[in-house]
Amino acid sequence: AAVVPARFALAPQVARWCLAAYGPALGRVDTRAWEDDVLTFSRAALALGVNLLPEAARALPPYRRARQRLLDVGLALVRAERRADDGDVTVTRALLRAFGEGRDEEAVGYVLFSALAVTQYVSRTVAWMLAHAAADRALGASLADELRENFHPASLDPAALKRLTRLRGLYRECLRRYPVQAALPYVAREDLTVAGADVPKGTLLLFAGATGHFDPASHPDPWRVDATRSQRASRCGAAGFVPFGYGDRACTAAGQTELLALTVAASALSVLDLRAARAPATVLDPLPGPAPWHRVTVAARRDIVA
């Protein structure tokens, strides 16, 4: 963060920061060598998955080249982690323990999916956090004060991150206002009647949990970003805030996502005073994210005082 230019495009830079921060958790890999390929692969794969790109797009040379290079480096990472004999716990090693012997290629798929999730899901939330900090002078100053008092990179741990209540409030508000999980698919196991509609057995249903994020009875003025909203008494029930899904379909990476998002956002804002004339427009690509051409200006560079 300390070496970014005086003006830069926010969303792609944040994706690179998130991937770099994820590297140590993933295993022995310098993710800087992955950056361009992960961004190319993940954008296309996500758009293919939700039918925003036609199936023929799989044959496009940039996507095929990026995918093949990632498969090669992913397999090399998995094999290196299997041979490692130290006690460090990494995401890759946990996958290998779960799969057992002879399933390295399957583990590679999960490694690449986790990199896709970091660069497409986590980075969008962090980009929104930084975009609002840059556009709202009072919010940016408040976060800078909190980081100056509590952010000590040499002793960073989950407990320290939870003390960043203002930053954590902004994280939760961006998850609410810009949900990365719009709906979850289910198949009806029997004939149902839902809200007066007949649903035959075998019907594919989408349960859209994100609708509760915009219920004014739960979240007054729901379209406004309010970083202090989660610090006040909430009137929303269990369905009012479900950024990671619900029931046995809830994402298991919620804790890791919070650690990663807060680490990246705190690291960036502790050394950069970001400014923008306004919050960016939203683009659906296919998740709600800041426009990729939205640029922020570095008004000042800070020294971290531990």
Side-chain angles (χ1 to χ4, degrees), residues 256-271:
Q256 175 180 280
T257 297
E258 180 172 318
L259 286 175
L260 183 59
L262 293 180
T263 297
V264 174
S267 298
L269 293 174
S270 67
V271 297

Side-chain angles (χ1 to χ4, degrees), residues 86-298:
D86 58 53
D88 290 345
V89 178
T90 65
V91 171
T92 303
R93 197 170 299 181
L95 287 169
L96 292 173
R97 289 175 184 169
F99 285 125
E101 297 289 341
R103 298 174 66 185
D104 286 1
E105 290 187 0
E106 193 170 354
V108 170
Y110 281 83
V111 165
L112 296 188
F113 175 76
S114 72
L116 178 153
V118 166
T119 54
Q120 294 298 321
Y121 289 84
V122 181
S123 76
R124 288 170 193 262
T125 300
V126 178
W128 280 120
M129 293 170 68
L130 299 188
H132 284 284
D136 184 334
R137 194 72 60 87
L139 174 61
S142 174
L143 293 172
D145 289 342
E146 179 176 72
L147 290 166
R148 194 177 299 113
E149 295 169 8
N150 298 289
F151 184 67
H152 308 297
S155 58
L156 191 62
D157 59 23
L161 288 170
K162 287 192 174 183
R163 287 195 293 271
L164 301 174
T165 56
R166 297 172 199 162
L167 188 68
R168 197 158 176 248
L170 178 60
Y171 165 73
R172 290 176 60 84
E173 179 69 347
C174 287
L175 282 177
R176 182 199 68 80
R177 174 60 181 82
Y178 309 106
V180 295
Q181 179 149 265
L184 285 173
Y186 289 81
V187 175
R189 291 183 176 176
E190 57 190 54
D191 294 339
L192 302 170
T193 299
V194 180
D198 292 332
V199 180
K201 177 181 178 181
T203 301
L204 177 66
L205 302 173
L206 290 175
F207 279 80
T211 56
H213 291 199
F214 301 94
D215 179 1
S218 300
H219 308 284
D221 196 3
W223 299 99
R224 182 173 65 90
V225 171
D226 179 359
T228 66
R229 191 187 299 269
S230 68
Q231 297 171 29
R232 300 191 297 271
S234 175
R235 289 178 288 175
C236 70
F241 183 63
V242 285
F244 295 100
Y246 27 83
D248 60 0
R249 298 286 299 281
C251 176
T252 57
Q256 175 180 280
T257 297
E258 180 172 318
L259 286 175
L260 183 59
L262 293 180
T263 297
V264 174
S267 298
L269 293 174
S270 67
V271 297
L272 298 175
D273 178 7
L274 298 176
R275 301 283 174 85
R278 63 187 65 85
T282 304
V283 293
L284 301 177
D285 185 28
L287 297 171
W293 53 84
H294 177 74
R295 305 179 82 80
V296 294
T297 299
V298 178

